[in-house]
Amino acid sequence: MTPKYRVLKHAKMRQQAGCWDSPQSRRPLAHVEVQDLALTRGVRRAADVKFLLHAKPNVLYLFSQPGLSEMPGKQAKTLSADHIDDLLFLAERSRHPLRNRLIVLLSVKAGLRAAEIAKLGWDMVLDPSGEVGRTLALRDQIAKKRSGRTIPIHADLRQALVEARQLCDGHGPIVRSERGGAMTPMTIVVWFNRVYKELGFEGCSSHSGRRTFITRAARAVHKAGGSLRDVQLLAGHRSIQTTQRYIDGDSDAQRRLISLI
């Protein structure tokens, strides 16, 4: 499929489009609206990214990239236990097994968005003694709509963090690129899309782990003596209705329910 593109040649058009004024200035303007899809050159929200933007002086090229979106119009599919095992299996056999295992676990076991995974720093998971703590303190600065929150760290995720902590000085981003710098939200989105494609998982995206986390939490919260309000806080949603939309139905439970009517 040939990428669609649009060339904006004049400064006035660039400003109206809402892109960065130039690659050097990195001054954020408004969102770009192209075919009703939002875009920024710097990825502020992974779910909004439907295009890659390449900038040159006085010219901006907007390329559509099918497969990189968060599937507008429908929700990402949730993952079963077997799906998660397959993800972790593939991560362990990749070039960067520990880093990729962290990416999967931060999504599935902490419910983080792609942008939050990319921007998560060691200062948000370490206790005062420099050891990996029991909670993840996600700061407002990196969370969508400044929805910072505190998330208890799952045992599997904590083990991976402990292993990663032993290999670094405990400063800067947790998830790093091959060159040692921070990964971008778009890189996380692309990584998930490539992995799901390799595994043959249809309808999954970088949001699938988060939906899985919220759905599983909602189903198990009564066993922990909590309520949907606790799930809302873990997800960082302002509205409990938003949390409810994330929760995938349980077909087995629905069949049992029908049999009781």
Side-chain angles (χ1 to χ4, degrees), residues 83-93 101 104-105:
H83 291 150
I84 296 171
D85 287 343
D86 289 344
L87 272 175
L88 292 171
F89 181 86
L90 193 63
E92 289 290 353
R93 282 149 186 80
R101 178 154 57 101
V104 173
L105 292 174

Side-chain angles (χ1 to χ4, degrees), residues 35 144 176:
Q35 296 178 352
K144 177 183 174 182
R176 294 178 179 270

Side-chain angles (χ1 to χ4, degrees), residues 51-199:
F51 293 76
L52 293 178
L53 172 65
H54 299 277
K56 295 181 180 180
N58 300 321
V59 181
L60 297 177
Y61 299 89
L62 310 185
F63 296 89
S64 68
Q65 296 290 326
L68 295 187
S69 74
E70 293 287 346
M71 298 182 299
K74 61 180 179 179
Q75 291 182 312
K77 290 184 178 179
T78 55
L79 305 170
S80 68
D82 288 341
H83 291 150
I84 296 171
D85 287 343
D86 289 344
L87 272 175
L88 292 171
F89 181 86
L90 193 63
E92 289 290 353
R93 282 149 186 80
S94 63
R95 289 181 59 185
H96 307 283
L98 180 55
R99 183 201 70 182
N100 293 342
R101 178 154 57 101
L102 276 170
I103 291 174
V104 173
L105 292 174
L106 285 168
S107 176
V108 174
K109 299 299 185 181
L112 300 193
R113 303 174 177 92
E116 294 168 344
I117 294 173
K119 298 175 184 178
L120 186 69
W122 281 109
D123 58 330
M124 302 179 203
V125 301
L126 299 182
D127 62 21
S129 64
E131 302 296 325
V132 176
R134 300 290 175 180
T135 58
L136 185 159
L138 197 71
R139 294 183 176 172
D140 288 346
Q141 297 94 305
I142 74 167
K144 177 183 174 182
K145 297 182 180 179
R146 300 185 62 82
S147 57
R149 55 201 184 274
T150 299
I151 305 169
I153 300 177
H154 188 278
D156 294 345
L157 174 56
R158 188 172 189 277
Q159 179 58 40
L161 288 169
V162 168
E163 293 176 28
R165 175 67 181 88
Q166 294 170 350
L167 302 176
C168 70
D169 60 4
H171 297 285
I174 293 176
V175 177
R176 294 178 179 270
S177 68
E178 196 169 272
R179 296 182 179 181
M183 294 180 71
T184 66
M186 174 59 85
T187 307
I188 301 294
V189 171
V190 171
W191 184 88
F192 272 112
N193 276 279
R194 287 175 177 169
V195 170
Y196 287 134
K197 184 177 181 180
E198 185 173 346
L199 290 171

